[in-house]
Amino acid sequence: MARPFALDFYKQNTDVVARELLGQTLVHIVNGKRIAGIIVETEAYMGAEDPACHTFGDRRTSRNQSMYLEGGHAYVYLIYGMHFCFNVVTRTTLEPEAVLIRAIEPTEGLELIRANRGKVKESDLTNGPGKLCAAMKIDRSCDGLALNKAPLLIERTRARVLTKNEVIASARIGVDYAGEAAHWPLRFSLRGSNFVSKPRPEASLKL
DNA sequence: GTACAGATTGAG
DNA sequence: TCAATCTGTACT
């Protein structure tokens, strides 16, 4: 049985955590049933120094207060008044940084995922931050939960080290307003996965 | 108080 | 291309 990461894992540099989470498994236990998927796409948000981050300049609001928890807790927020986004808080209480989980490949609880998402193609079930939250029933009630125990956790399911060629680093999505930071290569995805969100990084990068 | 844009998505 | 509609920020 795969074991959850200890909270210490999340104290590493945020971009390192973002890469390391690829291939690991996000699990939400709902009514005693596991809904799970392999993480295939992430983005790092670098805290007070990152204009694209909710905690840029150490801003602290009722929405983002979970980012000031220790690494290894959940930060879930509502975007555009409609969709939830799930983040993993990293570092320490003095460094409010996080990793946005943008896409997963469903592995457990397929019937529940389909029921939560309605009638869409298999590859469209969880290939975006809002879609994955809907599929896994992650909402604001999950905000602030520790990720080393039920009901919400991340398990180590990838033992071997990823080769450089298996990971694509590209610019983050939807942060054009952030100036130079919009170009920082902080989006990470598994090359060749059919469950990565659009736009697919292969399409916008020279290979 | 008003105005507006946002780490998105799905319909037209 | 655009509307859904909550949160935060910059104004009046």
Side-chain angles (χ1 to χ4, degrees), chain A residues 35 82-84 102 104 106 109-138 195:
Chain A
I35 303 177
M82 316 221 7
H83 306 290
F84 293 103
R102 286 193 57 89
I104 63 169
L110 265 292
E111 326 76 47
L112 292 171
I113 289 174
R114 287 222 177 75
N116 292 336
R117 288 282 295 129
K119 195 165 184 175
V120 298
K121 281 194 308 179
E122 170 99 15
S123 61
D124 285 334
L125 285 171
T126 54
N127 63 336
K131 296 178 188 178
L132 125 210
C133 285
M136 298 191 69
K137 270 214 176 328
I138 293 172
F195 293 87

Side-chain angles (χ1 to χ4, degrees), chain A residues 25-28 34-38 104-109 113 136:
Chain A
T25 299
L26 175 62
V27 182
H28 190 199
R34 282 169 60 100
I35 303 177
I38 298 168
I104 63 169
E105 174 176 343
T107 53
E108 298 176 59
I113 289 174
M136 298 191 69

Side-chain angles (χ1 to χ4, degrees), chain A residues 2 21 26 36 42 54 69 75-76 82 108 142 170 183:
Chain A
L21 285 177
L26 175 62
T42 62
H54 288 169
L69 294 171
Y75 168 45
V76 182
M82 316 221 7
E108 298 176 59
C142 300
S170 54
H183 305 298

Side-chain angles (χ1 to χ4, degrees), chain A residues 57-117:
Chain A
D58 271 317
R59 277 194 310 261
R60 191 189 277 260
T61 68
S62 59
R63 175 175 73 164
N64 73 12
Q65 57 183 339
S66 292
M67 286 195 67
Y68 291 84
L69 294 171
E70 293 282 353
H73 291 78
Y75 168 45
V76 182
Y77 69 94
L78 187 62
I79 186 66
Y80 296 113
M82 316 221 7
H83 306 290
F84 293 103
C85 289
F86 170 73
N87 300 253
V88 178
V89 177
T90 57
R91 309 293 288 166
T92 71
T93 57
L94 298 178
E95 295 143 308
E97 307 184 11
V99 175
L100 170 67
I101 308 300
R102 286 193 57 89
I104 63 169
E105 174 176 343
T107 53
E108 298 176 59
L110 265 292
E111 326 76 47
L112 292 171
I113 289 174
R114 287 222 177 75
N116 292 336
R117 288 282 295 129

Side-chain angles (χ1 to χ4, degrees), chain A residues 104-179:
Chain A
I104 63 169
E105 174 176 343
T107 53
E108 298 176 59
L110 265 292
E111 326 76 47
L112 292 171
I113 289 174
R114 287 222 177 75
N116 292 336
R117 288 282 295 129
K119 195 165 184 175
V120 298
K121 281 194 308 179
E122 170 99 15
S123 61
D124 285 334
L125 285 171
T126 54
N127 63 336
K131 296 178 188 178
L132 125 210
C133 285
M136 298 191 69
K137 270 214 176 328
I138 293 172
D139 59 27
R140 261 247 123 182
S141 70
C142 300
D143 186 58
L145 292 179
L147 297 173
N148 59 346
K149 57 180 172 31
L152 190 61
L153 60 155
I154 297 177
E155 296 175 342
R156 181 189 287 282
T157 48
R158 170 176 63 75
R160 87 184 161 73
V161 175
L162 289 169
T163 66
K164 211 162 187 178
N165 198 44
E166 289 175 296
V167 178
I168 300 177
S170 54
R172 293 173 294 181
I173 301 297
V175 296
D176 291 347
Y177 59 87

